[in-house]
């Protein structure tokens, strides 16, 4: 019995010694790890840093609108029931004031005029006879050779003959005017924009034959929000870019005195002295120049667009970035105005922020050079 328990005690002693050795090794490893220094987080990206800079930006108001004729003239016929014999101009032709645009057949009016002239000659002959009789009656009035009734008849006949002459002369003048109306003249200088005249047509009085852009002047009718109308004045410079065209310089002619109740926009009329390739009816974008002002700006690469909002990545003292929401305004070249949400002394990631997330660690290698004035002011718009 004694020999049976001896091997068991030996195996138990060996197992206990093994457990004590493993525990001792674990405690030694933990002590060793506790003595090792903590390692820093690995940088996610190497970036440049920048700060908001004071920049002189032009103040502009952007708007959209259509190109329209300054004034249109409707050119029609004054003669009634005449046949159109000739059309001398077409759409796009440049005409001068008084130029003949079309002619009607004058045959009927010429015949009527000849008849009126013949009637006037007859009336003048009758007047001459009546005037002679009236003169003799006046001379014999004191002699008693003629009665008072006869003298009155002669004088009345003279006045009647004179009235007939005046009536015939007025009718002849009317026919002369109708004859002149057989020629359709340009009421002003300009460009023919539409033509409905057809050779051979017999037209009533008042029928439109042509439409004309008076003096060839085109204007831009810009739709501007009501809040910006107070900043615009006559004489201001505007730059208009028609669809598919080159920029055109214009001058504000008038600001409409009313605002559309539905859109809350007002119309600003801009004269285009040299429209070039611009055509009436075109859509155009444009900008009104108001001056310049100082603004805090960042490079456009420093501003991120996420979820419909603008953000920058602030660099903290521990080189960790923090996503910060900001408000932006005008743009000039590669600069964008920061209107709120950022302190002017804050350092932000200048570029590559799209590869970073909130809380990432970065390595800053340099600071972007401060910018004092926008080098390219094209495409600036008020927000």
């Amino acid at each position: 019995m004694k020999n049976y328990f001896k091997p068991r005690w030996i195996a138990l002693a060996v197992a206990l010694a093994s457990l004590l050795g493993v525990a001792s090794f674990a405690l030694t490893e933990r002590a060793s790890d506790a003595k090792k220094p903590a390692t820093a987080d690995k940088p996610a990206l190497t970036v440049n840093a920048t700060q908001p800079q004071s920049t002189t930006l032009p103040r502009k108001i952007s708007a959209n609108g259509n190109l329209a004729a300054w004034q249109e003239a409707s050119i029609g016929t004054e003669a009634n029931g005449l046949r159109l014999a000739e059309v001398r101009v077409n759409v796009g032709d440049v005409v001068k004031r008084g130029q003949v645009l079309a002619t009607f057949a004058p045959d009927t009016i010429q015949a009527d005029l000849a008849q009126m002239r013949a009637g006037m000659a007859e009336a003048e002959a009758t007047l001459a006879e009546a005037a002679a009789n009236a003169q003799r009656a006046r001379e014999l009035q004191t002699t008693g050779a003629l009665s008072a009734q006869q003298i009155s008849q002669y004088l009345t006949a003279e006045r009647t003959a004179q009235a007939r002459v005046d009536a015939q002369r007025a009718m002849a003048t009317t026919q002369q005017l109708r004859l002149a109306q057989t020629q359709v003249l340009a009421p002003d200088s300009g460009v023919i924009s539409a033509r409905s005249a057809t050779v051979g047509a017999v037209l009533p009085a008042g029928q439109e034959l042509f439409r004309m852009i008076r003096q060839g002047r085109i204007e831009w009718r810009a739709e501007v929000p009501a809040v910006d109308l107070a900043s615009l004045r006559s004489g201001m410079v505007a730059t208009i870019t028609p669809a598919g065209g080159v920029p055109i310089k214009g001058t504000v002619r008038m600001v409409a005195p009313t605002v559309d109740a539905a859109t809350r926009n007002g119309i600003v009329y801009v004269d285009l002295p040299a429209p070039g390739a611009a055509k009436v009816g075109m859509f155009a974008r444009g900008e009104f120049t108001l001056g310049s002002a100082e603004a805090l700006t960042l490079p456009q690469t420093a501003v991120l667009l996420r979820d419909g909002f603008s953000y920058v990545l602030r660099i903290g003292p521990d080189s960790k970035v923090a996503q910060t929401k900001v408000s932006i305004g005008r743009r000039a070249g590669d600069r964008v105005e920061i209107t709120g949400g950022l302190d002017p002394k804050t350092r932000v990631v200048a570029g590559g922020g799209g590869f970073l997330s909130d809380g990432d660690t970065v390595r800053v290698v340099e600071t972007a050079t401060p910018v004092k004035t926008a080098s390219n002011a094209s495409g600036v718009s008020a927000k």
Side-chain angles (χ1 to χ4, degrees):
M1 190 74 175
K2 186 175 181 181
N3 293 331
Y4 175 76
F5 284 104
K6 186 175 182 180
R8 284 190 170 186
W9 283 110
I10 294 174
L12 183 61
V14 172
L16 183 60
S18 298
L19 290 174
L20 291 175
V22 171
S24 175
F25 177 78
L27 291 175
T28 304
E29 287 295 324
R30 286 184 181 180
S32 176
D33 291 342
K35 293 179 181 179
K36 290 182 179 179
T39 58
D41 294 338
K42 184 178 179 181
L45 193 68
T46 300
V47 299
N48 294 335
T50 187
Q51 290 179 293
Q53 303 296 331
S54 179
T55 308
T56 302
L57 295 181
R59 296 177 57 239
K60 295 186 178 182
I61 296 176
S62 298
N64 300 324
N66 296 320
L67 299 179
W70 166 62
Q71 287 184 3
E72 276 194 312
S74 177
I75 306 171
T77 172
E78 298 179 77
N80 185 35
L82 297 182
R83 176 176 55 85
L84 189 59
E86 183 183 10
V87 178
R88 300 186 180 181
V89 296
N90 213 330
V91 174
D93 290 347
V94 178
V95 299
K96 296 182 179 180
R97 178 189 292 271
Q99 180 178 334
V100 178
L101 307 181
T103 58
F104 288 89
D107 302 343
T108 303
I109 298 179
Q110 287 176 345
D112 291 341
L113 180 59
Q115 182 179 0
M116 294 300 171
R117 286 174 176 171
M120 186 173 62
E122 180 182 359
E124 288 176 346
T126 302
L127 173 61
E129 181 182 1
N133 293 334
Q135 183 61 31
R136 285 192 294 270
R138 291 188 189 95
E139 293 174 355
L140 296 175
Q141 186 175 8
T142 57
T143 63
L146 295 175
S147 65
Q149 182 179 2
Q150 290 177 321
I151 294 173
S152 178
Q153 289 176 348
Y154 286 130
L155 296 178
T156 302
E158 180 188 25
R159 290 194 294 270
T160 302
Q162 181 63 54
R164 288 176 179 171
V165 169
D166 292 340
Q168 289 293 329
R169 183 176 291 115
M171 294 174 66
T173 301
T174 301
Q175 293 302 320
Q176 287 178 339
L177 290 175
R178 290 191 63 201
L179 183 62
Q181 290 168 0
T182 58
Q183 290 188 330
V184 180
L185 306 180
D188 198 356
S189 299
V191 179
I192 301 298
S193 59
R195 166 192 163 178
S196 58
T198 303
V199 174
V202 178
L203 303 174
Q207 178 69 41
E208 182 180 280
L209 301 177
F210 308 96
R211 293 189 74 83
M212 181 179 68
I213 301 174
R214 291 190 60 193
Q215 301 177 16
R217 289 174 57 182
I218 295 179
E219 65 183 14
W220 179 48
R221 297 177 181 177
E223 297 185 11
V224 179
V227 294
D228 295 327
L229 287 177
S231 302
L232 300 177
R233 299 286 185 276
S234 298
M236 284 185 172
V237 176
T239 303
I240 297 92
T241 305
V246 296
I248 304 169
K249 291 293 184 181
T251 305
V252 176
R253 176 171 62 86
M254 182 183 68
V255 178
T258 59
V259 174
D260 188 276
T263 63
R264 304 300 179 187
N265 291 336
I267 303 298
V268 179
Y269 300 87
V270 179
D271 279 334
L272 305 180
K279 305 296 181 184
V280 172
M282 278 186 172
F283 174 81
R285 302 180 184 274
E287 295 174 336
F288 300 92
T289 303
L290 305 181
S292 60
E294 291 292 322
L296 290 177
T297 65
L298 282 174
Q300 293 194 33
T301 55
V303 181
L304 307 176
L305 184 63
R306 293 177 177 174
D307 300 326
F309 298 98
S310 296
Y311 295 91
V312 297
L313 296 176
R314 291 187 295 108
I315 302 175
D318 56 355
S319 296
K320 291 183 180 294
V321 297
Q323 182 172 280
T324 303
K325 184 179 179 181
V326 295
S327 301
I328 64 172
R330 296 166 288 171
R331 298 177 185 270
D334 62 346
R335 309 290 295 183
V336 59
E337 179 185 12
I338 304 299
T339 59
L342 190 65
D343 187 272
K345 298 181 180 180
T346 302
R347 292 198 312 161
V348 300
V349 175
F355 300 99
L356 297 172
S357 299
D358 192 17
D360 284 349
T361 301
V362 296
R363 178 185 293 112
V364 180
V365 295
E366 64 178 279
T367 302
T369 305
V371 177
K372 294 299 181 181
T373 304
S375 59
N376 182 5
S378 62
V380 180
S381 60
K383 300 289 183 182

